Amino acid sequence: MGATGLSLIAFLIGHVSGNLLIFAGEHAFNAYGHALISNPMIYVAEAGLLLLFVSHFVTGIVLTKENRDARPIGYQRNDRAGGASRKSLASTTMILSGLVLLAFVPLHVNAFKFGAFYESAAEPGVRDLRRLVIETFSAPAYTAGYVIVLAIIGFHLWHGFGSAFESLGVGYSKALKRFGQALALIITVAFISIPLVIYLSEGAL
Ligand code: HEM
């Protein structure tokens, strides 16, 4: 879980950085998208990404089931122990935030990767992916849905980064945990800024 989780976080850092090019104008964003899809290595990268997602989800579900089976009769009280207890809302809802991600990713890929193909007027032969993203986030329902789901994903990362190092045997480190939380916050705010700025600028972007 730790290794696949950290690899997926690396993907998200790359993905959000590329997506922020939407604020750098039509050419920058569409040229980035075009460079990605016209690279023959894209199929290898996509297959690797799919494998990472699937193994992360499957391990997460198996692990949750094993945890439940290990304690067939649940705790009578589910409070935080306080003090040395590192239990948090994010850590106890990882399976739920993970299931939200599991539902989100296929819908998201379907909406963008397999969404409407507009050809760029300025650069014939190049997909105008920026137009599709801007059109999508001009709809209030899409924007609200994305903001909520991205916040839930941020919650998953908030606990996931530090926890991944524990799974990998590094042990508990407060500094690493804080670093992971800061990283989760930056990734989430950067992602959320995209639908929000597009929606609030009312197509003027
Ligand atoms: C504001 C937030 C986001 C925006 C604007 C966005 C935008 C996009 C766009 C435009 C594509 C299509 C790329 C192409 O076909 O060239 C894409 C693909 C994809 N996105 Fe996102 N994305 C966002 C958040 C996320 C998040 C949070 C995840 C994962 C948790 C994610 C996972 C993916 C995946 C797996 C693909 C398919 C990549 C491929 O097969 O090449 N995205 N996204």
Side-chain angles (χ1 to χ4, degrees):
M1 285 237 79
T4 51
L6 289 179
S7 311
L8 289 167
I9 292 177
F11 160 73
L12 283 182
I13 294 173
H15 194 45
V16 76
S17 310
N19 282 336
L20 285 174
L21 285 172
I22 199 135
F23 299 128
E26 187 183 322
H27 172 74
F29 189 74
N30 289 340
Y32 160 73
H34 188 73
L36 274 187
I37 56 165
S38 45
N39 186 329
M41 286 306 284
I42 185 76
Y43 299 109
V44 179
E46 283 177 351
L49 193 58
L50 185 65
L51 199 69
L52 279 176
F53 267 113
V54 171
S55 28
H56 193 72
F57 289 137
V58 171
T59 325
I61 288 165
V62 170
L63 208 65
T64 305
K65 192 177 172 327
E66 280 177 2
N67 281 345
R68 294 213 171 132
D69 290 350
R71 177 172 283 280
I73 301 167
Y75 289 106
Q76 274 195 337
R77 286 181 58 192
N78 230 345
D79 302 344
R80 281 193 65 186
S85 169
R86 298 196 297 267
K87 192 167 134 179
S88 69
L89 185 60
S91 76
T92 49
T93 52
M94 286 303 272
I95 185 68
L96 296 178
S97 52
L99 287 174
V100 171
L101 257 153
L102 182 59
F104 164 80
V105 172
L107 293 173
H108 170 67
V109 173
N110 186 51
F112 288 125
K113 190 172 171 60
F114 302 112
F117 187 102
Y118 298 124
E119 191 177 9
S120 163
E123 291 159 281
V126 170
R127 185 179 183 192
D128 193 351
L129 200 52
R130 189 171 182 266
R131 176 175 164 196
L132 178 64
V133 175
I134 292 179
E135 268 185 14
T136 303
F137 295 133
S138 300
Y142 253 106
T143 302
Y146 260 76
V147 169
I148 293 168
V149 170
L150 290 168
I152 294 172
I153 293 173
F155 219 53
H156 196 81
L157 301 182
W158 180 266
H159 174 74
F161 186 87
S163 168
F165 283 96
E166 288 192 56
S167 304
L168 290 170
V170 175
Y172 174 73
S173 150
K174 194 162 189 170
L176 217 50
K177 181 178 164 178
R178 290 274 177 263
F179 176 80
Q181 291 174 337
L183 190 67
L185 199 64
I186 294 169
I187 295 175
T188 308
V189 169
F191 263 133
I192 286 182
S193 74
I194 298 170
L196 219 53
V197 170
I198 292 175
Y199 180 70
L200 295 175
S201 65
E202 293 178 350
L205 202 68

